[in-house]
Amino acid sequence: MSTSGRGQRRDLIIGVTPFETPNAELAAALSRAGALGILDLGRDGARARTALAQTQRWTKAPWGVRVPPGCTVAPHELPSGVTTVVLPHGSPWSGLPLPGMRVLAEVNDLGEARLEVARGVDGLIARGTESGGRVGDLTTYVLLQQLFADDAITIPIWAAGGIGRHSAAAAIAGGAAGVVLDAQLALLRETALPRDVTAAIAAMDGSETTVIARHRVYTRPDLAALRAHWPDLAGGVELGEPDVAARLGAGGFAEHLLPIGQDGATARVFADEFGTAAGLVRGLRSSMEEHLAGAAAVQPLGAGSRFASARGIRVPVVQGPMTRVSDRAAFAAEVAENGGLPFLALA
């Protein structure tokens, strides 16, 4: 698949303003650059309405909105430039008629996907466990494979979670309609966040997250002391899924849970390399095109590839050693007879 030429699909790259924050400057910049900018409306109605008006003024290209739980904006308040609505789990707009809008539903597992298909949504966003906010147990690429294998799901699927310069092309090669970025945009020039949040994201290596009540959020040893005033924590009550969802945001660590995934470490890389939303869209499109063209030319996963030929095997598949699984001769023989390279685990 090629991403080049005048007919480039805008929604090949979908950029959502990160952390449930309605950032009009970023959403408009993404759409002007040829991606599909999505304005997350958040839970502050006044701020969301201001951002809607600003985005409408700042771009003539199509754009969209994400409607998280707790959003107080109503569908009739959307301006004419909005063409796409993204609905995460628990959105107050789920199940509402949205005439003239393309509706994409975020899902974490096959059961949620089937439910959204039955509701009549136009597309799915497969949000893997690497991403921030509400997540399931499956990584993005495993979740994608599971959804593609279900005959009942025939609508387009976008990949969210773990998306970077190289993995974006892999998602497209695997059948995804496009990729979704959010936390990866956090340090671009158009994104304004509190200084402590920016510093924390800039220092990430991907290991600083934890899952609380199905939501992946930023964690650090000192944050418990900052949040000791929270009534439920002070009372020793375990946070439930609605409690966590209500506290997602980027206003500061003392008040909010930052919904950032392991891919948050990519934000610094993207900011250093691209700087702006326009630079990111151009660079990522170019990288995707190069990777896909190279894969089509070389066929690295095909039978008789250079990797396979160099190792005397038929297909470039190496079965990793797994204790108590691949310590049996019959298992190794089966892999070898089908063209792969087996390894015995000698525990």
Side-chain angles (χ1 to χ4, degrees), residues 12-74:
L12 188 69
I13 300 173
I14 296 179
V16 182
T17 59
F19 315 136
E20 300 197 359
T21 301
N23 182 340
E25 184 178 1
L26 178 59
L30 289 164
S31 283
R32 288 197 304 267
L36 181 63
I38 301 290
L39 183 76
D40 194 309
L41 298 180
R43 290 178 296 280
D44 185 330
R47 185 176 181 183
R49 292 178 182 95
T50 297
L52 283 169
Q54 290 174 331
T55 309
Q56 180 75 359
R57 287 199 305 271
W58 293 343
T59 181
K60 301 302 180 186
W63 51 288
V65 297
R66 181 179 183 271
V67 188
C71 176
T72 60
V73 176

Side-chain angles (χ1 to χ4, degrees), residues 298-310 312-317 339:
V298 177
Q299 293 291 314
L301 299 181
S305 69
R306 186 168 59 186
F307 178 93
S309 298
I313 55 180
R314 183 169 56 84
V315 293
V317 173

Side-chain angles (χ1 to χ4, degrees), residues 191-219:
T191 306
L193 297 170
R195 185 172 300 178
D196 60 335
V197 175
T198 297
I201 297 171
M204 283 186 71
D205 63 15
S207 65
E208 304 87 346
T209 69
T210 188
V211 176
I212 304 175
R214 286 204 63 169
H215 289 76
R216 186 174 293 282
V217 298
Y218 182 84
T219 186

Side-chain angles (χ1 to χ4, degrees), residues 70-132:
C71 176
T72 60
V73 176
H76 72 268
E77 297 182 79
L78 296 183
S80 59
V82 176
T83 61
T84 301
V85 175
V86 175
L87 301 180
H89 180 83
S91 171
W93 292 16
S94 293
L96 295 180
L98 298 170
M101 303 288 176
R102 177 178 59 168
V103 178
L104 307 181
E106 295 182 1
V107 298
N108 300 139
D109 57 45
L110 180 58
E112 290 180 358
R114 287 173 173 169
L115 178 61
E116 295 298 343
V117 169
R119 283 178 175 170
V121 300
D122 302 297
L124 301 174
I125 295 176
R127 185 167 285 281
T129 194
E130 310 97 321
S131 59

Side-chain angles (χ1 to χ4, degrees), residues 318-333:
V318 176
Q319 167 261 309
M322 299 170 285
T323 304
R324 294 187 298 278
V325 176
S326 60
D327 56 355
R328 306 176 189 281
F331 185 97

Side-chain angles (χ1 to χ4, degrees), residues 100-262:
M101 303 288 176
R102 177 178 59 168
V103 178
L104 307 181
E106 295 182 1
V107 298
N108 300 139
D109 57 45
L110 180 58
E112 290 180 358
R114 287 173 173 169
L115 178 61
E116 295 298 343
V117 169
R119 283 178 175 170
V121 300
D122 302 297
L124 301 174
I125 295 176
R127 185 167 285 281
T129 194
E130 310 97 321
S131 59
R134 188 176 186 273
V135 298
D137 298 325
L138 300 180
T139 61
T140 300
Y141 294 95
V142 173
L143 178 57
L144 279 174
Q145 292 175 66
Q146 192 176 85
L147 300 184
F148 287 137
D150 192 286
D151 293 336
I153 300 176
T154 58
I155 56 179
I157 304 172
W158 281 258
I163 302 300
R165 172 188 274 277
H166 307 298
S167 55
I172 302 302
V179 296
V180 179
L181 307 176
D182 42 42
Q184 299 94 323
L185 312 173
L187 300 181
L188 296 180
R189 198 170 302 163
E190 295 88 351
T191 306
L193 297 170
R195 185 172 300 178
D196 60 335
V197 175
T198 297
I201 297 171
M204 283 186 71
D205 63 15
S207 65
E208 304 87 346
T209 69
T210 188
V211 176
I212 304 175
R214 286 204 63 169
H215 289 76
R216 186 174 293 282
V217 298
Y218 182 84
T219 186
R220 207 169 58 201
D222 64 310
L223 296 187
L226 284 176
R227 296 164 179 162
H229 65 286
W230 291 6
D232 35 18
L233 292 185
V237 178
E238 185 176 348
L239 293 176
E241 192 169 331
D243 304 314
V244 173
R247 285 199 170 95
L248 298 180
F253 292 118
E255 301 299 329
H256 291 130
L257 292 165
L258 185 69
I260 193 168
Q262 297 163 337

